[in-house]
């Protein structure tokens, strides 16, 4: 019977090198990460960001940042491929983001948040904010966002893990951005 799955070696052979990935255009999508305590979640955020082509990651507060062996173990090299910066104070990151003309999008359940799928196409470039695994994004930072979105939840849990949510939001924004040229 003919094999249908590609082997790990076949997948690696098609993957760009670190030098080649620098020439692949990034999407106008960045992520601000506020006070995420799990190093493994941060590593996973790097992998998702690499996957959907994020332009930059802003790691803020006590969020772990490279170089760290435990972060690299989860990120699997994505921490080298995705540009990032660390700010102790997230408001310094917001200033840089706003000065660049980015729409700041809060991923949080707020009194004004809308379903992620109702986001307008015209909002790019975008930087979306994710926060702490328990308390989410701080109230102070939430107030600075231009738009509030949330991921619809149909089960008994009210939210997804922060790294999973980053992947969901990132890939939805990727889909929306690549659909801009389509009628």
């Amino acid at each position: 019977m003919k094999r249908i799955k590609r082997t790990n070696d076949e997948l690696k052979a098609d993957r760009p090198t670190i030098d080649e990935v620098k020439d692949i255009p990034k999407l106008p999508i960045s992520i601000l990460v506020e006070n995420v305590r799990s190093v493994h979640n941060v590593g996973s955020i790097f992998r998702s960001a690499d996957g959907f082509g994020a332009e930059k990651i802003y790691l803020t507060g006590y969020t772990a940042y490279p170089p760290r062996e435990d972060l690299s173990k989860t990120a699997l090299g994505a921490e080298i491929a995705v540009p990032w910066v660390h700010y102790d104070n997230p408001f310094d990151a917001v200033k840089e983001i706003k000065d660049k003309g980015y729409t700041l999008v809060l991923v949080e359940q707020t009194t004004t948040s809308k379903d992620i799928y109702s986001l307008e196409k015209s909002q790019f470039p975008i930087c979306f904010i994710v926060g702490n695994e328990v308390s989410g994004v701080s109230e102070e930072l939430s107030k600075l966002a231009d738009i509030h979105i949330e991921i619809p939840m149909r089960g008994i849990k009210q939210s997804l893990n922060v790294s999973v949510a980053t992947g969901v939001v990132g890939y939805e924004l990727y889909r929306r951005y690549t659909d801009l040229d389509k009628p």
Side-chain angles (χ1 to χ4, degrees):
M1 187 161 125
K2 186 176 177 185
R3 176 173 55 86
I4 60 171
K5 285 182 60 177
R6 295 172 66 196
T7 67
N8 197 33
D9 287 341
E10 290 169 334
L11 294 171
K12 284 181 180 177
D14 288 342
R15 192 169 58 192
T17 66
I18 290 295
D19 288 334
E20 292 169 337
V21 82
K22 292 174 184 164
D23 295 329
I24 298 172
K26 301 289 187 186
L27 299 180
I29 301 168
S30 293
I31 310 160
L32 191 158
V33 183
E34 182 195 33
N35 291 333
V36 169
R37 63 190 157 118
S38 166
V39 175
H40 301 292
N41 279 337
V42 178
S44 184
I45 287 169
F46 268 101
R47 282 184 69 183
S48 292
D50 177 58
F52 65 76
E55 186 174 59
K56 190 171 190 176
I57 300 176
Y58 297 86
L59 303 168
T60 68
Y62 57 74
T63 302
Y65 55 92
R68 283 185 62 138
E69 187 176 327
D70 46 358
L71 191 153
S72 297
K73 187 174 181 178
T74 306
L76 295 176
E79 78 281 12
I80 299 166
V82 180
W84 63 271
V85 64
H86 177 263
Y87 286 99
D88 287 328
N89 186 334
F91 303 107
D92 295 335
V94 168
K95 180 172 178 5
E96 178 182 324
I97 292 161
K98 293 271 192 173
D99 286 350
K100 289 169 120 180
Y102 275 59
T103 302
L104 198 55
V105 177
L106 175 68
V107 181
E108 190 70 74
Q109 297 163 340
T110 70
T111 57
T112 61
S113 58
K114 295 194 172 20
D115 185 306
I116 184 176
Y117 305 110
S118 65
L119 191 63
E120 296 293 322
K121 289 183 180 183
S122 63
Q123 309 298 167
F124 292 93
I126 284 176
C127 181
F128 67 93
I129 311 169
V130 295
N132 180 272
E133 295 88 341
V134 176
S135 57
V137 177
S138 68
E139 185 73 22
E140 299 79 19
L141 188 55
S142 296
K143 290 177 181 177
L144 299 177
D146 302 304
I147 298 169
H148 299 187
I149 60 170
E150 63 182 74
I151 300 168
M153 300 297 294
R154 297 188 58 191
I156 62 168
K157 299 308 293 175
Q158 74 272 14
S159 66
L160 296 173
N161 170 279
V162 65
S163 65
V164 173
T166 298
V168 169
V169 172
Y171 274 95
E172 174 59 13
L173 294 175
Y174 165 82
R175 185 189 69 78
R176 288 200 173 254
Y177 183 74
T178 57
D179 279 354
L180 285 175
D181 295 334
K182 298 175 185 172

